[in-house]
Amino acid sequence: QHQRFTCECRMCKVVPVMADFPINAEDSTFQIAWASLADLSYQKHWISQADARIVTDAHLENVQVRTSFLVLPHFHQRGGEIDPVVIKDMEDRFAQSKHDVFRSAMMKCSGIMAILTVWISGLALVQELWFRAAILLGLSFPLYSGYCACAARRDLWKKLGRCRILLLLLLCIQSVSIAFAEWDRPFQTWGMLLLHTTFVSNFSPFGVMEIFFATAVCGIPAYISILLHPDWTVNVAQPAVCNEQQEDAAGFLAEIILPPVVCMCQFVLASWRDETMRLDFLLRDQLQAQRRKLNEENEKSEDLLKSMLPQAIIDSLKRHEPVECQDFSNVTVIFVQVCDFAQMCSVLPPTTIVQMLDKVFQELDRLSDLLKVHKVETVGDVYMAVSGCPHEIANHADIAAHFAIAAQSSIIRMRASDVILPQGFQGRRLSAVLGDKQLELRIRIGLNSGRIRAGVVGLDKPRFKLFGDTVNTASRMESTSEPGCTQISESTRSILSEEFDAQERGWVEVKGKGALRTYYLRGYNLVETPDDSKMQDSVTIKVIQKAALAAVDKDEAYQTEAPGNPLLRRAAGKALQDLLDSIPGTLQVTQVMSRGQSTRNSNMYQKKRESWREWLDMKLLLVSSTSKRPEMLHSLKEDKREYKRVTLDRRVFFSRGLVIAWHLVLSTTSLLDYAFDIPMSEWERYRFGLLVRTWGVQITGWLHLGLLMDKVAFDRRGKLITLVMLSLEGVAVALLDALIFKNDPFFFMLYGLYVLFSKSCPFPARLLLCFLALVGWSLIDSVICDFQIRQRKFQHIGYTAVVLMLTAGGIRMQEHLDHCASYYERHVQRQIDSISDFKGGNQKLLAKILPKHVVQLVSDGVSPIAEDYADVTVVFTDLQGFTAFSSRISPGELVELLNMLYSAFDETILDWGLHKVEVIGDAYFISSGCPMEDSNLSPDQHAMRAVEVALALQRIVPAVCDDGSVHMRCGIHTGNVIAGVVGKKGPRFHLFGPNVEYANRMESTGVPGKVQISFSTKQWLDIGGHDYIFEDRSVDMGGRHDRTFLVTRSKARAAKKIRNRLAMQRQEMAIAATPTEPE
């Protein structure tokens, strides 16, 4: 008997463990988080940390690094109005990042400086220089030790970062104190001051202006002022070479000129390094942002592909394996429909309707993902899914029952909390607006278990479809269920676990099936089964072994497989492969493989024995451990060739500028010749010095500059050219300094800085040249002074060596960061290109799912997308007898037949310019006039085109399928509809409203082999003067009898003209879309 039940699901608390769903596992069980099945927290808009950030991914795209006054890098926003909040946030985060990066360098260099301070203090005590020793031991040493101790502990270093002004003040005081300590000496020297200046410029976590203030403002002026006080005279004449006595006045080159020159070089290096670090910081942020966007686009592509094909089929296509239609002996098919949806469409506006249905389908998608239920398709307000296909699951009925109970409970909560439309409608709650019309958001669900066939059909838009009587019965279980209830068939009830409360409804009359005994799924049977372990077992998804399945289905399998049409098989396979190739779907696999390969390479790199050059390079690379991970260094080593290629122009420009600047400095020093008092006895030596300056320095420099003009030669032999030229220039500078300037250390310091800045030469070779320069200066000094052991000589060598070594560390850091920035920049560009490819693939996939006019809107994230369409003609078709016919042929033959049938249908639909809304099994859902492809067509022409297509489809069926038991029913109705895009996971363009439901009834009450149209469609055909032969009839449409018409033959003359015009338009569009080959 037909009985009415209040189907409120009774829930119980089961909290299993969540696990991933493995594929092809043997004897595997997986737990799902039942406690979260009815959780609606995802509907709430919580503000995440990513959303709360001041600088978002969109801001990062417009941020760049600029340089003011040539030496002051800063962040800047491209175009539009500059947001100071964004820039300040970027500066603050960069300052914190720089503070963290310099922790390791500060710790090591502070320790070195502390050791040097103790050594120099010891020498001061031996020489009885009490003031100097007191300053060094009482102030400098404790500060250097404090820097090292703070940097050694991460927590103290972070606290020190919060009081940067204190650290800067200490460095400034230290610069002034070192200047006073240098004053209290037998002879003045710049050693300790330049060491401190180099330390601050290269290894302190400050900005460019802060470094300039601590060195060029506080240190150098104080040192020169104390040096010149009280006479304020400068000794321009050259000092005696071997003199160990204190000079009466400060030397011009060594004491006055050298400290500011070295400080300027260090300042320029600090500016370059700061700019490079900003680029590195910005590009790393941009790379992470692009990776997030790439992951989002990849997820969109995967979701779109999964909405068309199951994951197992996608994996098979990626492995280039054939995809065949399969028989599934036992599955549970699920149908869900929103009750009274057609009436809601007449009450609510289109955007609200689409928004409501979208939220319902989102919840069903969430539950299907949790329970590993496969979503097959959505048609209007109907949601179709299956459990046990394409992965065979032993307890598929239990899983489907869990899905149904959770779905009903979720809808009740959604209705009570108004999460569907939190802002309300016209100032009122949505439930109250619907309640005024005696409407309520409810769903009805139908479950049926049995055998099905499943496969990918369709050449234009391949889709995974289910076929068989099981699908039809599940649909009938849903359509005959009461609102808010879940009706299950007797086949499903027989395999359900005893933990479920299934109450018998009685015998229900089902169209095409007769009377069937059905049951209502009430919830969980808590009284009879208090043991939670049994409930836990029912929630466990049990995958059947493939070997067992093969044994079970062996007797039922087809013994022979029809060869079918090879051409059609190749076309279907090509269509699937084209669908997969439309997006870069193998990117993730490639990335995983590359990451694995990179890890293996990094392990090999770690185990490989390092050479002395690599060891020295690593020791001088004073960056954080994260910046010199073995895998990162290995990647940079592999990228070195590409890095040199992309930076060729920049390196050539820098090398030219450096050579010109170096020789301008040497040319400027020639002006000092007139100031030096050169005795007449030394004129021969001076003339020889001029010869060395002309040919050894200037000619070599011009030759070096000329070689740099050829980029191709520089790219091939740049290292050799630079190394040879630097060596020749070094020899020339040594001879020039010995002949004219009496071996003044000023030139050797400048030469060392020039060599270190020459980036075209390998870094170990630059260090070797600096070492050889110091050895050469020492040998020349020993020869001039008869190999005397002099304190000043060793101090000059020691100070120069340490200054050059610290500068080398700063330059190595700058070059490493520059390579990293270039590496990240190219990766960002590759990510942008990949995102563009993914977006293009998504556009292609969306074009296979959605109409053209909404593809861009969906890509841009516009939601909701809904609009009203007036006087749209809707066509529904269904193949009667096809279920029984399909059971008599093999799965391969079924797929080939459907592909032939659907390709012929699609071609006809395209010829007439209609839109295929959806394919439901063996049924077609078509619209004419929605979307509006041609605004010149009138409603009567839309109706005429729909009738012509329906008649053409009727002629195609017997031509493709020669079985006399298969006939097509067609139903057509014209009226206003709501059209919109529903679903985030696999969006679909659907039509809604009472007129869509009426058109579906026109099909279900139609006559096989005939086209039935409604009275409104007949009126539009009469208005347009389209001549057809009709048969008048009356049909029961749910309690009332409506007048309908059967179209038997077309006599419309305008139909052929419209079809020809549409065909010409299609041909012109195809020609325009075809790329022209260059002549």
Side-chain angles (χ1 to χ4, degrees), residues 43 197 362 1064:
Q43 300 272 10
T197 300
Q362 278 188 50
M1064 290 181 62

Side-chain angles (χ1 to χ4, degrees), residues 723-798:
L723 181 60
V724 172
M725 291 296 104
L726 289 178
S727 302
L728 293 176
E729 291 170 0
V731 173
V733 168
L735 292 175
L736 175 66
D737 191 31
L739 294 172
I740 298 180
F741 299 103
K742 297 184 179 180
N743 207 36
D744 196 302
F746 169 81
F747 288 94
F748 282 89
M749 176 68 79
L750 289 185
Y751 175 75
L753 294 175
Y754 168 61
V755 169
L756 291 177
F757 275 85
S758 300
K759 300 180 181 180
S760 302
C761 185
F763 189 73
R766 283 179 272 168
L767 295 179
L768 180 61
L769 288 176
C770 291
F771 173 76
L772 293 177
L774 288 175
V775 172
W777 182 87
S778 176
L779 290 176
I780 294 174
D781 185 85
S782 299
V783 170
I784 294 175
C785 297
D786 297 328
F787 295 94
Q788 298 178 14
I789 299 177
R790 298 184 304 112
Q791 177 184 352
R792 179 174 291 188
K793 170 185 174 181
F794 290 106
Q795 286 184 351
H796 280 319
I797 293 175

Side-chain angles (χ1 to χ4, degrees), residues 99 102-104 106-107 110 142-161 163 166-167 170:
H99 189 81
F102 274 91
R103 187 180 71 87
S104 175
M106 190 74 170
M107 178 183 66
S110 297
L143 288 177
Y144 284 130
S145 302
Y147 303 151
C148 183
C150 289
R153 294 188 58 181
R154 191 178 299 272
D155 54 342
L156 292 179
W157 185 248
K158 287 185 177 180
K159 292 180 180 178
L160 188 62
C163 49
L166 175 62
L167 180 59
L170 292 177

Side-chain angles (χ1 to χ4, degrees), residues 663-729:
H663 287 280
L664 285 176
V665 171
L666 292 182
S667 300
T668 304
T669 57
S670 64
L671 299 176
L672 300 176
D673 294 354
Y674 296 98
F676 294 152
D677 185 13
I678 301 176
M680 295 296 296
S681 60
E682 298 180 357
W683 272 105
E684 291 297 327
R685 180 169 61 87
Y686 178 69
R687 290 173 61 188
F688 186 66
L690 291 179
L691 186 65
V692 171
R693 173 185 290 163
T694 303
W695 289 95
V697 177
Q698 299 299 334
I699 301 300
T700 304
W702 286 111
L703 178 62
H704 190 185
L705 189 62
L707 292 174
L708 292 177
M709 293 301 171
D710 188 356
K711 290 185 180 180
V712 178
F714 180 83
D715 187 31
R716 293 178 180 177
R717 294 177 290 274
K719 293 181 181 179
L720 180 61
I721 291 173
T722 306
L723 181 60
V724 172
M725 291 296 104
L726 289 178
S727 302
L728 293 176
E729 291 170 0

Side-chain angles (χ1 to χ4, degrees), residues 411-626:
I411 295 301
I412 293 174
R413 296 190 182 189
M414 293 171 71
R415 186 173 63 236
S417 59
D418 270 340
V419 295
I420 292 180
L421 203 66
Q423 70 274 19
F425 176 68
Q426 295 180 351
R428 302 176 61 196
R429 295 182 60 183
L430 180 61
S431 57
V433 175
L434 294 177
D436 293 343
K437 302 292 183 179
Q438 285 74 47
L439 297 174
E440 189 177 31
L441 177 61
R442 292 181 296 179
I443 60 173
R444 53 171 170 257
I445 304 177
L447 306 181
N448 182 43
S449 303
R451 183 188 183 94
I452 64 166
R453 284 182 173 179
V456 180
V457 296
L459 301 181
D460 178 45
K461 300 178 181 180
R463 296 285 179 82
F464 184 74
K465 300 294 182 181
L466 308 182
F467 308 97
D469 188 62
T470 302
V471 180
N472 297 336
T473 304
S475 177
R476 298 292 184 261
M477 289 296 101
E478 173 268 312
S479 60
T480 58
S481 175
E482 291 291 329
C485 296
T486 300
Q487 184 172 236
I488 63 176
S489 64
E490 191 168 13
S491 61
T492 302
R493 176 65 186 90
S494 63
I495 58 177
L496 270 183
S497 303
E498 61 181 3
E499 287 77 28
F500 293 96
D501 181 14
Q503 186 172 353
E504 183 176 356
R505 180 183 182 184
W507 294 88
V508 177
E509 192 67 27
V510 177
K511 178 184 177 181
K513 306 291 181 182
L516 296 179
R517 175 179 291 177
T518 64
Y519 301 82
Y520 275 133
L521 183 64
R522 298 289 306 278
Y524 297 103
N525 197 353
L526 302 180
V527 179
E528 290 79 359
T529 58
D531 188 4
D532 285 345
S533 62
K534 295 182 179 180
M535 179 64 67
Q536 182 76 42
D537 186 65
S538 72
V539 183
T540 302
I541 304 174
K542 303 175 182 177
V543 175
I544 305 176
Q545 300 181 34
K546 281 194 170 182
L549 281 174
V552 171
D553 295 339
K554 184 176 181 180
D555 297 335
E556 300 181 7
Y558 292 96
Q559 299 298 324
T560 59
E561 183 72 22
N565 187 339
L567 181 62
L568 190 61
R569 282 176 177 263
R570 288 196 297 270
K574 185 176 183 302
L576 287 173
Q577 197 61 46
D578 289 344
L579 178 68
L580 186 67
D581 293 341
S582 63
I583 59 172
T586 58
L587 179 65
Q588 283 184 325
V589 179
T590 305
Q591 287 178 338
V592 172
M593 292 180 61
S594 65
R595 284 196 293 267
Q597 185 69 26
S598 175
T599 304
R600 290 193 294 270
N601 291 338
S602 66
N603 293 334
M604 294 174 57
Y605 185 69
Q606 285 178 326
K607 295 178 182 179
K608 184 180 178 181
R609 187 175 181 180
E610 295 179 334
S611 63
W612 68 271
R613 291 180 300 177
E614 293 175 341
W615 176 84
L616 182 61
D617 183 67
M618 286 293 295
K619 294 302 180 182
L620 288 176
L621 185 56
L622 300 178
V623 295
S624 61
S625 57
T626 57

